[in-house]
Amino acid sequence: MTQRQTSAYEFADDLPIEGVEPGSNLLVAGPTMGGARDLALRLVTAGSDREEGLVLVTTTKSGGKILSECDKLCTGLQQSTFGVVDCVSKKQGREQTSERIETVSSPGDLTGIGIEFSGLYQSVHRETTERVRAGLFSLSTLLMYTEFQTVSRFVHTVAGRIGATDGLGVFLIDPSTQDERVVNTITQLCDGRVDVRVRGDGTREMRVRGLADQPREWTPF
């Protein structure tokens, strides 16, 4: 029997969120242009400086562009083991040159996304210290292409795989683009939810629900 990881997945010191247990899945909910996307990226890239693996699914930007964003957030990305499922480039007729980037036809191809994600996740998990952070940016895009029930089954499957292998999953969604029932259902598929909002003066705030010993009140970051 595989021994479960015991040390928590940690984050940057300037983020008001404590480490979370291995096998946890987080839903980051907030406006994409209001800090939610940046926060989600920071949560998954933090492990690159800790010799942890990284797997990303990008539905709005090419694999190269999202890696450039990650490069600005951490210092160890190019030295770490990572993989990207790119749902954009093939649709736009671009070719990827990196062997660490796999492309699928569109964000609506959940079967293809699932296959490529599973392959990359298994590979990264095998090549690292068995600690992998995975991010899917974003569920809002998937819901534009595919019916809700199909997307929820997809999230359930991916979250289950991450949970079973002591990984850390970070899913991004913009609640303003979805029915409340949809967001609540996705929330139930994750262990915790990180809400993000922007105040009138431009201050970004976050709160965490569903996890113990986390800031439940709105906290600037």
Side-chain angles (χ1 to χ4, degrees):
M1 180 181 295
T2 302
Q3 184 176 1
R4 293 186 66 85
Q5 301 286 339
T6 56
S7 59
Y9 282 90
E10 301 291 344
F11 308 106
D13 293 338
D14 63 334
L15 288 179
I17 178 171
E18 301 298 325
V20 300
E21 293 302 309
S24 298
N25 288 280
L26 305 178
L27 178 67
V28 177
T32 300
M33 302 302 293
R37 178 183 172 83
D38 290 344
L39 176 60
L41 279 173
R42 292 187 67 189
L43 295 180
V44 294
T45 56
S48 298
D49 297 331
R50 298 178 171 86
E51 298 183 353
E52 297 172 358
L54 171 67
V55 180
L56 294 171
V57 177
T58 175
T59 64
T60 58
K61 297 186 178 183
S62 69
K65 285 186 176 180
I66 198 170
L67 287 177
S68 294
E69 289 183 61
C70 294
D71 243 345
K72 298 174 182 177
L73 297 173
C74 62
T75 59
L77 180 62
Q78 296 304 323
Q79 287 73 46
S80 64
T81 303
F82 65 85
V84 179
V85 181
D86 181 342
C87 307
V88 179
S89 294
K90 184 172 289 188
K91 182 180 178 183
Q92 296 179 346
R94 303 176 189 163
E95 291 186 3
Q96 290 292 352
T97 57
S98 173
E99 61 181 13
R100 298 189 181 190
I101 300 178
E102 300 291 347
T103 59
V104 297
S105 59
S106 80
D109 183 10
L110 293 189
T111 299
I113 295 172
I115 291 173
E116 298 298 352
F117 175 85
S118 295
L120 286 172
Y121 190 91
Q122 181 178 6
S123 177
V124 171
H125 187 268
R126 184 173 58 246
E127 294 177 31
T128 64
T129 57
E130 298 186 350
R131 291 175 66 86
V132 182
R133 302 190 188 211
L136 199 159
F137 312 135
S138 76
L139 297 180
S140 298
T141 308
L142 298 187
L143 289 163
M144 292 171 58
Y145 285 81
T146 310
E147 62 179 14
F148 168 63
Q149 293 297 334
T150 303
V151 173
S152 64
R153 287 195 298 268
F154 173 77
V155 173
H156 177 73
T157 300
V158 172
R161 182 177 185 85
I162 292 169
T165 54
D166 287 344
L168 172 68
V170 179
F171 300 85
L172 175 64
I173 194 168
D174 185 345
S176 68
T177 65
Q178 306 299 326
D179 183 270
E180 184 177 357
R181 177 184 62 87
V182 170
V183 180
N184 288 339
T185 301
I186 297 295
T187 298
Q188 293 173 13
L189 298 175
C190 296
D191 301 287
R193 172 169 164 174
V194 183
D195 290 312
V196 178
R197 72 179 184 183
V198 182
R199 294 174 52 183
D201 61 1
T203 301
R204 296 176 175 181
E205 295 182 323
M206 61 173 282
R207 67 179 180 185
V208 183
R209 290 186 282 174
L211 298 176
D213 302 320
Q214 298 288 355
R216 298 180 182 275
E217 302 299 324
W218 289 106
T219 307
F221 72 96

